[in-house]
Amino acid sequence: MTAETFRTIWLDADDPSVVKIIDQRLLPHEFKLHDLGSWQDAETAIADMYVRGAPLIGATAAWGLYLAALESPESVAMHAVADRLLAARPTAVNLRWAIERIMRVVDAHAGGELADEIRRDAQAICDEDVEISRGIGEHGVALLEAIAARKPGEPVNVLTHCNAGALATINYGTATAPVYIAQQRGIDVHVWVDETRPRNQGSQLTAWELAQSGVPHTLIVDNAGGHLMQHGLVDIVIVGTDRTTRCGDVANKIGTYLKALAAFDNDIPFYVGLPSTTIDWRSCDGVAEIPIEERDAEEVSHVHGMREGAPTMVRTTAPGTPISNYAFDVTPARLVTGLITERGICAASEDGLLGLFPEMRDRS
Amino acid sequence: MTAETFRTIWLDADDPSVVKIIDQRLLPHEFKLHDLGSWQDAETAIADMYVRGAPLIGATAAWGLYLAALESPESVAMHAVADRLLAARPTAVNLRWAIERIMRVVDAHAGGELADEIRRDAQAICDEDVEISRGIGEHGVALLEAIAARKPGEPVNVLTHCNAGALATINYGTATAPVYIAQQRGIDVHVWVDETRPRNQGSQLTAWELAQSGVPHTLIVDNAGGHLMQHGLVDIVIVGTDRTTRCGDVANKIGTYLKALAAFDNDIPFYVGLPSTTIDWRSCDGVAEIPIEERDAEEVSHVHGMREGAPTMVRTTAPGTPISNYAFDVTPARLVTGLITERGICAASEDGLLGLFPEMRDRS
């Protein structure tokens, strides 16, 4: 997955009216490409989670606006599409970031082919994201190298939650980027992969992409991390984020907060890998301010798997069982050891973030 | 489930060579009774989790020894059977407690029908367990009444993990006993039910028995509890335990520790309902001393559910995914607000427990 030639979203080389994605709902059982031929396809892909992961959601929205411009490049229509795409999922701030970036192109447009201009910027968002992920990896790998130096001959045990991997970005991932770079540098690294109920992004995506890349890993249920930490089996936790406030509060997949608490209780470093595009400079108190998406009960009551070689869905609950399904939670900054960004590692605080991104001082 | 007439294990009234259990592996999809006709059947039922829950495991072992005595009442054979039953599962201390109790009957036996003597004691273990559970409920309900008094017109929100319900005991349950008694007293109580991966005892057993009893409840994934607590949606956590040390460390289903951390972080009371038979007076440091069972990887990789009306098993992971599956974790006493026993509520400490059980002062 870390080969430069492989990406999670791209414009079809033969048909520039088609954007290609991986239908991530089918992994690990089936690797299937899916065509986006309209902005509505992009909206569906985001809302129904063909694609997921904050950076990839943002990139998909950018390509959705490109597809909209092919069809109807008028500004009014483009703004209506932008509103629809923005509403596809509420928590990841990259969606807003990417849409606002493309809409600046739309609003500044003065003749020529709008779709061409958007295409260049959507492509730039993807290319930049790969560089950003690589930057996160290169800064974050220092943490793993330091642990490896302390325990020669033993693997560095990383625990991660959900999929903040190559599949969540354009390539490399955020939380996984330090792991992939560590592997390239010959560090003996092993990843505990949280299953990540209800959608099982850990067992279905993270385990799959680590296996593809040959990174040693072990799947665990979400309940297991605390026990492993109590017994010295985790050296560091690295997760991604869908939105991090300027004060360092981290919204990420539901259950992340529980792992942060366990890491804190066991004196294990808890890091968050994030591109600066995931920072919400407008908010500070994440628990109070970040909207938490509630998703369909069926994500909890039904499980997708394989039976006798065929994709099969089963219902695990009794019919009519009342279900609540919050998709994210917020880890307070006090539990976060540090934020790994493309510009370096900083404290999870306004001072920490502004130290790396001083240009945001007046905008936050 | 709380009707006195309904139990989880009983001697067949028509055939005293058969012990009846519910095959809990099939719930909530199918309610099916299963016959134990030999001690080997009892061993299988415990090891393969036809029955589970510390008190019910103990009772099943007691009835297993009864079935063994019917077949071969010699002391040597009985001790061999006791060793086999004791090895069926390592963590729940009730198994040891019940076997030791029955083996005292065996060792003291001096003529007459040994099986009859064991039958009386196995029956007594079950009858006493019902009274113990009711006692836990009557002491614990005071906690719920106090919360109800503070928020009139609103439900008391209890969060529980796994199934420490009627299905885990002979009746009433341990963690659920205060809930059932509260319901009987007209208190408006609502239970957040942790799904409890990997075996889904929450979604498959707790949700089922609460629905049977008409107790309002909502199923959530194990990852969700921290978020709910951050947002004031949980008033109290009550769980069961498979073994609690004399110093108050609590072994319970994997993931319990994470919920205790979240409750502590949000200043929410965290209680453990337990019969005194679950106290391991011989151990103090639970993290260091309690053996934690590792179970088959297939519990994680495969999910049992229903598809088009038929029980169906699906594999959710890619073939060959490495998996680790610890069944329990230990919540340190410092995170436990109190222990709810049949004699009252005490601090999770040696002093607290010896205050309620002074007769153990010389034995611990």
Side-chain angles (χ1 to χ4, degrees):
Chain A
M1 292 294 294
T2 55
E4 248 323 281
T5 51
F6 188 89
R7 291 195 171 188
T8 55
I9 187 166
W10 65 95
L11 189 64
D12 191 330
D14 300 323
D15 180 355
S17 70
V18 170
V19 174
K20 295 274 195 185
I21 60 170
I22 302 163
D23 185 349
Q24 299 193 18
R25 302 172 309 164
L26 307 180
L27 289 172
H29 310 302
E30 196 179 350
F31 181 91
K32 192 175 164 189
L33 299 183
H34 179 78
D35 289 354
L36 306 180
S38 66
W39 69 265
Q40 290 93 338
D41 287 351
E43 182 189 31
T44 300
I46 295 168
D48 292 352
M49 296 179 68
Y50 294 57
V51 293
R52 14 70 52 212
L56 180 54
I57 288 173
T60 305
W63 284 113
L65 288 167
Y66 160 74
L67 295 169
L70 284 181
E71 192 185 313
S72 168
E74 292 87 43
S75 178
V76 174
M78 291 298 293
H79 276 273
V81 170
D83 289 346
R84 284 283 296 273
L85 290 169
L86 190 59
R89 294 196 69 195
T91 301
V93 79
N94 301 60
L95 188 60
R96 184 178 81 199
W97 171 85
I99 290 169
E100 287 179 353
R101 175 166 164 172
I102 298 291
M103 292 312 289
R104 283 196 293 275
V105 174
V106 172
D107 293 338
H109 180 65
E113 278 296 319
L114 176 62
D116 280 351
E117 285 186 42
I118 296 178
R119 179 179 48 72
R120 280 192 293 275
D121 213 46
Q123 190 61 53
I125 285 173
C126 292
D127 294 344
E128 290 164 22
D129 189 72
V130 176
E131 288 313 303
I132 284 171
S133 288
R134 202 194 330 256
I136 292 167
E138 280 169 4
H139 291 294
V141 76
L143 301 169
L144 306 185
E145 287 173 329
I147 294 165
R150 283 205 312 270
K151 46 186 286 198
E154 290 180 74
V156 177
N157 288 303
V158 179
L159 184 143
T160 193
H161 189 68
C162 198
N163 175 264
L167 287 167
T169 62
I170 310 304
N171 207 330
Y172 285 103
T174 53
T176 56
V179 170
Y180 288 130
I181 305 280
Q183 184 197 29
Q184 289 171 9
R185 296 192 185 172
I187 295 170
D188 183 9
V189 62
H190 165 263
V191 182
W192 295 107
V193 178
D194 271 3
E195 177 181 54
T196 317
R197 288 282 295 151
R199 289 186 69 97
N200 297 331
Q201 291 96 333
S203 62
Q204 311 223 317
L205 303 179
T206 303
W208 181 82
E209 71 166 78
L210 292 174
Q212 294 291 312
S213 296
V215 176
H217 60 281
T218 305
L219 177 65
I220 50 175
V221 293
D222 302 305
N223 286 322
H227 173 74
L228 297 178
M229 293 187 210
Q230 283 178 318
H231 289 269
L233 297 170
V234 177
D235 294 308
I236 186 171
V237 180
I238 311 179
V239 298
T241 168
D242 296 82
R243 183 186 302 218
T244 288
T245 72
R246 71 172 188 278
C247 302
D249 288 349
V250 173
N252 192 43
K253 183 57 51 194
I254 191 90
T256 301
Y257 167 51
L258 297 173
K259 294 303 140 63
L261 286 166
F264 192 83
D265 197 47
N266 291 284
D267 208 16
I268 291 166
F270 181 94
Y271 281 91
V272 180
L274 75 163
S276 56
T277 50
T278 302
I279 303 166
D280 183 358
W281 296 98
R282 303 176 199 176
S283 65
C284 177
D285 179 343
V287 174
E289 296 175 35
I290 298 177
I292 300 297
E293 180 177 11
E294 287 191 68
R295 293 186 61 86
D296 199 89
E298 202 164 288
E299 290 188 352
V300 178
S301 62
H302 287 65
V303 172
H304 174 249
M306 294 293 277
R307 180 172 177 277
E308 293 173 5
T312 303
M313 182 82 88
V314 295
R315 171 176 51 76
T316 62
T317 57
T321 301
I323 289 170
S324 152
N325 183 21
Y326 291 96
F328 303 94
D329 64 18
V330 173
T331 298
R334 65 185 153 84
L335 301 175
V336 178
T337 311
L339 304 174
I340 313 172
T341 79
E342 70 270 27
R343 290 199 193 161
I345 299 175
C346 70
S349 66
E350 189 162 9
D351 281 353
L353 280 168
L354 288 175
L356 289 180
F357 300 93
E359 71 274 22
M360 301 308 291
R361 193 166 291 275
D362 302 326
R363 296 180 57 188
S364 69
Chain B
M1 292 296 292
T2 55
E4 250 321 285
T5 50
F6 189 87
R7 291 196 171 187
T8 56
I9 188 167
W10 65 94
L11 189 64
D12 191 330
D14 299 324
D15 180 355
S17 70
V18 169
V19 173
K20 296 275 195 185
I21 61 170
I22 302 164
D23 185 349
Q24 299 194 18
R25 301 171 310 163
L26 307 179
L27 289 172
H29 311 302
E30 197 178 351
F31 182 90
K32 192 174 163 188
L33 299 183
H34 179 79
D35 290 354
L36 306 180
S38 67
W39 69 265
Q40 291 93 338
D41 287 350
E43 181 189 31
T44 300
I46 295 169
D48 293 351
M49 296 180 67
Y50 295 56
V51 292
R52 15 69 52 212
L56 180 54
I57 288 173
T60 305
W63 284 112
L65 288 167
Y66 160 74
L67 295 169
L70 283 181
E71 191 186 314
S72 167
E74 291 88 43
S75 178
V76 173
M78 291 297 293
H79 276 273
V81 170
D83 288 345
R84 284 286 293 275
L85 290 171
L86 189 60
R89 294 196 69 194
T91 301
V93 79
N94 300 61
L95 188 60
R96 184 178 81 199
W97 171 85
I99 290 169
E100 288 179 352
R101 175 166 163 171
I102 299 291
M103 292 311 288
R104 282 196 293 274
V105 174
V106 172
D107 292 339
H109 179 65
E113 278 296 318
L114 176 62
D116 281 350
E117 285 185 41
I118 295 178
R119 180 178 50 72
R120 278 191 294 273
D121 214 44
Q123 190 61 53
I125 285 174
C126 293
D127 294 344
E128 290 164 22
D129 189 72
V130 176
E131 288 312 302
I132 285 171
S133 288
R134 203 196 326 258
I136 292 168
E138 280 169 4
H139 291 294
V141 75
L143 301 169
L144 306 185
E145 287 172 330
I147 294 166
R150 284 204 312 270
K151 45 185 286 197
E154 290 180 73
V156 177
N157 287 302
V158 179
L159 185 144
T160 194
H161 190 68
C162 198
N163 177 264
L167 287 166
T169 61
I170 310 306
N171 208 329
Y172 285 102
T174 53
T176 56
V179 170
Y180 288 130
I181 304 279
Q183 185 197 29
Q184 290 171 7
R185 296 191 185 173
I187 296 170
D188 183 9
V189 62
H190 165 263
V191 182
W192 294 108
V193 178
D194 272 3
E195 176 181 55
T196 317
R197 288 282 294 148
R199 290 186 68 98
N200 297 332
Q201 291 95 333
S203 62
Q204 312 223 316
L205 303 179
T206 303
W208 181 82
E209 70 166 78
L210 292 175
Q212 295 291 312
S213 296
V215 176
H217 61 281
T218 306
L219 176 66
I220 51 175
V221 293
D222 302 306
N223 285 322
H227 173 75
L228 297 178
M229 293 187 209
Q230 284 179 317
H231 289 269
L233 298 169
V234 177
D235 295 306
I236 186 170
V237 180
I238 311 179
V239 298
T241 169
D242 296 82
R243 184 188 300 219
T244 289
T245 72
R246 72 171 188 279
C247 302
D249 288 349
V250 173
N252 191 42
K253 183 57 51 194
I254 190 89
T256 301
Y257 166 51
L258 297 173
K259 294 302 142 60
L261 286 167
F264 193 83
D265 197 47
N266 291 284
D267 208 15
I268 291 166
F270 181 94
Y271 281 89
V272 180
L274 74 163
S276 56
T277 49
T278 302
I279 302 165
D280 183 357
W281 296 98
R282 303 176 199 176
S283 65
C284 176
D285 180 343
V287 174
E289 296 174 36
I290 297 177
I292 300 296
E293 179 178 10
E294 287 191 70
R295 293 186 60 87
D296 199 89
E298 203 165 287
E299 291 189 350
V300 177
S301 62
H302 288 64
V303 172
H304 174 250
M306 294 293 278
R307 179 172 177 276
E308 294 172 3
T312 303
M313 182 82 89
V314 296
R315 172 176 50 76
T316 63
T317 57
T321 302
I323 290 170
S324 151
N325 183 20
Y326 292 96
F328 302 94
D329 64 18
V330 173
T331 298
R334 64 186 154 84
L335 301 175
V336 178
T337 311
L339 304 174
I340 313 171
T341 78
E342 71 269 26
R343 290 199 194 163
I345 299 175
C346 70
S349 68
E350 188 161 10
D351 281 353
L353 280 168
L354 288 175
L356 289 181
F357 300 93
E359 72 274 23
M360 300 308 292
R361 193 166 291 276
D362 301 327
R363 296 182 55 189
S364 68

